[in-house]
Amino acid sequence: MWTEEQWAVIEPKNVSSVVVAAPGSGKTTVMTEHLAQVIATGRIPSQRILAMTFTRQAAEHMRQKLRGHERLHAVDVESCTMGTFHSVFFRALLEADFQVYPLLGQREQYALMREAVVDVLGERRAVSTYELQSYLTLYSRMVGGMEIDKVDHQEKQILESYMRRKRALNRWDHDDILLASLHLFQSPSASKIRLFGMSYILVDEFQDTNQLQWALLTSLVERNGALAFVVGDDDQSIYAFRGASPVFLQRAAEVLPNARRYLLTLNFRSDRRILGHAAQLIRHVKVRVDKPLRSVSEAEGVCMAYEVPDRTAQWRLVAHLLRRAIREGRSAAILGRTRHQLAVAWMALRRAFGAQWDIVAKGVEFRTFHDSKGKEWDIVALLDMAVSPGSTFDIDIDEERRLLYVAMTRARHELYALVPRVMHGAPRRIHPFLLESGMEVCPVNDTLKNDEVRN
């Protein structure tokens, strides 16, 4: 059932493990089985095991898998502590009788940030929801480890106003949980909490860790004299806007005590051409853990970039792909870099399909590149893979490479990158990252596309 490299990770051992896993290699499944084997062998009492994830759904999925494991008893599974970083440390603060405050809901956060923006920029300043989200994200990045000197004066004033308003209301947001948890390590009442009895600490999706989470993990490991097991893929680190960095996974084997690095390189998801072009792209990232990307599938698959005259032609080609996917009973996804791109595509395709749209829409998912992470489909189409002729990137270019890599590796059998030659009335050129991937570019004229749609 397990490959040799998977079993090397799963087998219980007396060292810390840093697992760097390729997309589609079953890293969460391997981590769950490793945890099951540790519990079943009795090497570490289950009540001294802590497993942390980045979403509640991931934590619950792990617990459900363990509950169904043939070697485990229910009492052992329930004795393990599992949850998100925030839930685990919030519970620890409560156990230590640490001063905690009610958490702000999302609407309350937006309202406070709106007041902070108006406080700094003036009453007449219109503030969009997108702008509020941007400031809240900037605040999380600052808390998560971004240097304060990277925030300009006006932004700093807005964030400080937001913090003052929180304090005035005696309220917290999720970032305050982790900040308070750092102080917990120096608290004299902390010795009685369950967290400080943990001797084995596991973290999934470790590439999403920020500076604050890294500090909490390493402090906990050192304080407890614990072993750690972390798993992730630095090539899929795509949340820099939240403060996450692949550096922590890359450094983990050097920093965690008595640690050994393992690689999971076999991909059980994608056909060979898709993985070949994805691997060619990701090799352009400057700093990464070098690892092969090997396909279990013997099928070649399809991986193509199609140049189309404009976005109208793009929708026609997408409509053709969706009709074929439905006819063949295959799953399909339309992926875009932004939500706006997806909204435009959804409206255009709804018009194209007319009365059939309700049926078609049930067979396709619209996702941003970020939101596609952790998912997979038989057929994937990447929208608007074109840039202005003279454009340059003013963002973390490797972050964007990793983001496209994530989107590409969601496809099982067919991947299509769509390149409109004209967008918003202006000429465009193929996205340079597609060229780096070595993907074949095929011009498609209107006559061919119309024939395809009719077929």
Side-chain angles (χ1 to χ4, degrees), residues 224-245:
N224 293 8
L227 293 176
F229 180 104
V230 301
V231 60
D233 181 6
D234 59 325
D235 290 335
Q236 296 187 71
S237 180
I238 58 173
Y239 294 114
F241 62 90
R242 298 178 187 166
S245 171

Side-chain angles (χ1 to χ4, degrees), residues 91-374:
R91 189 183 310 124
L93 291 169
L94 292 174
E95 290 176 3
D97 296 324
F98 206 88
Q99 178 66 65
V100 299
Y101 297 99
L103 291 178
L104 292 164
Q106 186 179 62
R107 289 185 179 181
E108 293 173 305
Q109 281 186 287
Y110 275 62
L112 281 188
M113 185 58 79
R114 187 182 299 276
E115 291 174 10
V117 173
V118 170
D119 179 40
V120 175
L121 301 182
E123 289 285 351
R124 295 184 178 180
R125 176 71 160 77
V127 187
S128 68
T129 301
Y130 175 80
E131 192 174 5
L132 294 175
Q133 179 61 60
S134 296
Y135 281 121
L136 288 168
T137 298
L138 182 63
Y139 175 73
S140 291
R141 289 182 66 195
M142 185 182 70
V143 171
M146 189 184 76
E147 296 87 346
I148 190 65
D149 58 8
K150 292 185 179 180
V151 180
D152 67 35
H153 178 67
Q154 182 175 280
E155 291 170 338
K156 184 178 179 181
Q157 285 183 305
I158 291 171
L159 299 185
E160 288 175 345
S161 176
Y162 173 71
M163 288 187 284
R164 286 195 302 271
R165 291 172 186 280
K166 280 196 303 177
R167 285 196 297 268
L169 294 173
N170 287 327
R171 301 291 297 276
W172 273 0
D173 56 26
H174 283 82
D175 296 309
D176 292 306
I177 297 173
L178 301 187
L179 285 171
S181 297
L182 279 181
H183 297 294
L184 178 65
F185 286 85
Q186 285 77 47
S187 171
S189 63
S191 58
K192 67 180 182 180
I193 67 174
R194 187 181 183 190
L195 187 65
F196 291 147
M198 300 298 165
S199 56
Y200 198 45
I201 303 168
L202 302 92
V203 185
D204 195 14
E205 300 291 355
F206 200 71
Q207 76 281 343
D208 295 338
T209 304
N210 63 27
Q211 179 69 54
L212 183 52
Q213 291 159 336
W214 170 253
L216 287 169
L217 174 68
T218 52
S219 297
L220 187 60
V221 167
E222 181 180 0
R223 179 187 177 112
N224 293 8
L227 293 176
F229 180 104
V230 301
V231 60
D233 181 6
D234 59 325
D235 290 335
Q236 296 187 71
S237 180
I238 58 173
Y239 294 114
F241 62 90
R242 298 178 187 166
S245 171
V247 169
F248 305 115
L249 177 61
Q250 293 164 352
R251 292 175 47 204
E254 303 166 11
V255 176
L256 294 174
N258 193 24
R260 184 181 302 168
R261 178 186 283 172
Y262 300 88
L263 299 181
L264 293 177
T265 64
L266 281 173
N267 178 289
F268 294 87
R269 175 188 302 146
S270 304
D271 292 339
R272 293 179 181 274
R273 284 183 182 169
I274 296 167
L275 288 188
H277 292 298
Q280 190 167 330
L281 168 67
I282 204 64
R283 281 195 289 269
H284 287 80
V285 171
K286 293 183 287 292
V287 179
R288 57 184 292 267
V289 176
D290 188 27
K291 50 191 173 296
L293 184 57
R294 301 181 294 155
S295 177
V296 172
S297 171
E298 296 183 356
E300 287 296 312
V302 177
C303 189
M304 292 284 297
Y306 281 116
E307 278 193 315
V308 294
D310 51 31
R311 287 179 113 188
T312 300
Q314 176 177 242
W315 311 138
R316 286 200 293 268
L317 191 49
V318 171
H320 165 67
L321 293 175
L322 293 184
R323 286 191 178 97
R324 183 165 60 79
I326 292 170
R327 187 168 63 245
E328 296 174 358
R330 307 175 92 185
S331 60
I334 310 301
L335 306 185
R337 177 63 180 81
T338 67
R339 295 188 185 280
H340 176 71
Q341 288 173 314
L342 296 177
V344 172
W346 193 90
M347 294 295 292
L349 290 167
R350 187 178 71 167
R351 288 194 298 268
F353 281 98
Q356 295 179 316
W357 177 240
D358 288 343
I359 298 173
V360 174
K362 293 178 182 178
V364 62
E365 292 191 54
F366 290 76
R367 300 274 184 175
T368 63
F369 287 4
H370 283 99
D371 192 35
S372 72
K373 188 168 174 287

Side-chain angles (χ1 to χ4, degrees), residues 35 41 63 71 151 224 240 361 397:
L35 178 52
T41 57
R63 193 179 289 277
R71 294 191 64 189
V151 180
N224 293 8
I397 196 165

Side-chain angles (χ1 to χ4, degrees), residues 76-93:
D76 293 324
V77 175
E78 302 310 319
S79 296
C80 291
T81 299
M82 296 183 198
T84 64
F85 264 94
H86 293 95
S87 67
V88 165
F89 283 98
F90 189 72
R91 189 183 310 124
L93 291 169

